[in-house]
Amino acid sequence: MTALTDDTLPVTPRAVRDEMIVFVVMALLLASVPFTGVYPFFVMQALCFALLACAFNLLIGYGGLLSFGHAMFMGTAGYCSAHALKVWALPPELGILIGIAAAFVLSLITGYISIRRQGIYFSMITLALSQLLYFIYLQAPFTHGEDGIQGIPQGRMFGVLDLSKPTILYYVVLAGFLAGFLLIFRIINSPFGEVLKAIRENEPRAISLGYRTDQYKFLAFVLSGTLAGFAGALKVFVAQNASLTDVHWSMSGEVVLMTLVGGLGTVFGPVVGAFVIIAMQQYLAGFGQWVTVIQGSIFVICVLTFRRGVIGEIAHYFRRSL
């Protein structure tokens, strides 16, 4: 079952080969960052948000489901991982697993509630659920309210890798990002991914061919939410805190912005979009509250001039799958 529009290319061995070549180049460039003098904290933060944007893109870019509440998965995983690391004094690998498990359970519950709605109704339900969790975390004792969970110990992963050393932490975060990225890449190039694309393009036709579309969309929602939680769990080690910022609706808006700027429905678009947005926040911080205005202006320009996003336009120009 093939779902194509004028702006999409068929999944062929050549397309997959091109994407794998770009992936190898991306991995090599990222692996060389500690030797280039680039500020590692910036890249680690961008990698966490890139994984979050890729997880979100799996849902909207390939499933056609616009969620305005993806921050709840990132924030929930962050809080649970931070609590496990600081209060329970668990090793880093178990802290990450607890965060992923929390995001998985949350995605099951919220997906069951929201997935039976479509369009703007689905988006509004995810936004409402996300804000509900925001106010719960604001009052919950274990989150410490507006103060958040601070001073999270980084510890030793598997008893060997000392995450307090920036270089080791960087490669651990990079390995987590690449693993999550490859999993998403495998999903979208699998028969399951092809059915998702078909549902996105023409759901009534997919139903007529015998596919239970609600089940496919529910599974995509759970996978997307769980991977977003993985990004949140990794971010805890980079920022060494978990706060309400990661659960707020504005964070969900930033993820949408990253995906659209990079290229909706492209493999590498969310990564580029995340680096662009995080770079703007990092290097335009001196403008204070004007950063939001600048981001909004850049977003409007991108929408008007790069309808497919940065990577989408490049892929369209060269007729390659990226």
Side-chain angles (χ1 to χ4, degrees):
M1 185 175 184
T2 305
L4 295 176
T5 66
D6 293 337
D7 295 334
T8 60
L9 296 172
V11 178
T12 63
R14 180 180 177 181
V16 175
R17 184 197 64 189
D18 291 342
E19 291 168 353
M20 287 306 300
I21 291 174
V22 176
F23 171 78
V24 171
V25 173
M26 178 184 71
L28 291 175
L29 288 174
L30 290 173
S32 66
V33 165
F35 307 102
T36 60
V38 178
Y39 188 37
F41 177 80
F42 158 69
V43 182
M44 285 189 287
Q45 188 181 23
L47 287 174
C48 293
F49 282 104
L51 180 56
L52 175 62
C54 288
F56 175 75
N57 186 51
L58 174 63
L59 186 64
I60 183 175
Y62 296 94
L65 297 171
L66 174 58
S67 168
F68 283 141
H70 246 53
M72 62 181 166
F73 303 117
M74 182 183 193
T76 296
Y79 273 128
C80 292
S81 292
H83 186 79
L85 292 167
K86 186 170 184 178
V87 179
W88 297 343
L90 294 181
E93 60 273 17
L94 290 182
I96 292 175
L97 289 177
I98 286 176
I100 294 173
F104 171 73
V105 173
L106 179 61
S107 64
L108 285 175
I109 297 171
T110 55
Y112 179 78
I113 296 172
S114 60
I115 208 66
R116 288 174 291 182
R117 301 293 180 264
Q118 295 183 353
I120 191 63
Y121 302 104
F122 170 81
S123 302
M124 290 299 101
I125 289 175
T126 57
L127 176 60
L129 291 171
S130 178
Q131 283 302 98
L132 173 64
L133 278 176
Y134 172 83
F135 288 111
I136 290 175
Y137 291 149
L138 179 62
Q139 302 296 330
F142 88 99
T143 64
H144 301 284
E146 295 183 352
D147 294 331
I149 304 176
Q150 307 290 335
I152 300 168
Q154 294 169 316
R156 288 179 174 269
M157 182 167 282
F158 306 116
V160 178
L161 302 174
D162 186 2
L163 300 185
S164 63
K165 296 181 178 179
T167 303
I168 294 177
L169 177 60
Y170 175 79
Y171 282 113
V172 168
V173 172
L174 176 60
F177 164 74
L178 294 177
F181 184 91
L182 282 175
L183 177 58
I184 294 171
F185 179 79
R186 181 68 186 92
I187 291 170
I188 63 180
N189 287 296
S190 67
F192 171 77
E194 292 303 308
V195 175
L196 271 185
K197 297 170 193 175
I199 294 172
R200 175 195 65 191
E201 298 298 333
N202 195 331
E203 185 171 353
R205 184 186 175 197
I207 294 173
S208 71
L209 291 173
Y211 292 106
R212 297 182 178 180
T213 57
D214 281 350
Q215 293 183 2
Y216 280 91
K217 291 190 292 185
F218 177 72
L219 182 54
F221 188 91
V222 172
L223 287 170
S224 179
T226 304
L227 286 164
F230 182 31
L234 287 177
K235 184 175 177 292
V236 162
F237 295 93
V238 178
Q240 288 189 272
N241 70 74
S243 66
L244 289 169
T245 304
D246 293 338
V247 199
H248 197 259
W249 65 266
S250 59
M251 180 62 70
S252 296
E254 284 190 14
V255 176
V256 176
L257 183 62
M258 292 173 187
T259 307
L260 292 178
V261 168
L264 186 66
T266 61
V267 179
F268 298 94
V271 180
V272 174
F275 270 84
V276 169
I277 299 302
I278 297 302
M280 284 196 296
Q281 293 176 349
Q282 181 81 21
Y283 295 106
L284 299 178
F287 290 94
Q289 307 239 346
W290 282 97
V291 173
T292 305
V293 177
I294 297 171
Q295 282 184 343
S297 302
I298 293 175
F299 174 64
V300 171
I301 293 172
C302 286
V303 170
L304 294 176
T305 58
F306 303 104
R307 185 172 61 87
R308 302 177 184 88
V310 176
I311 295 297
E313 290 292 343
I314 294 173
H316 181 74
Y317 181 81
F318 291 103
R319 301 300 295 170
R320 290 288 187 270
S321 177
L322 296 175

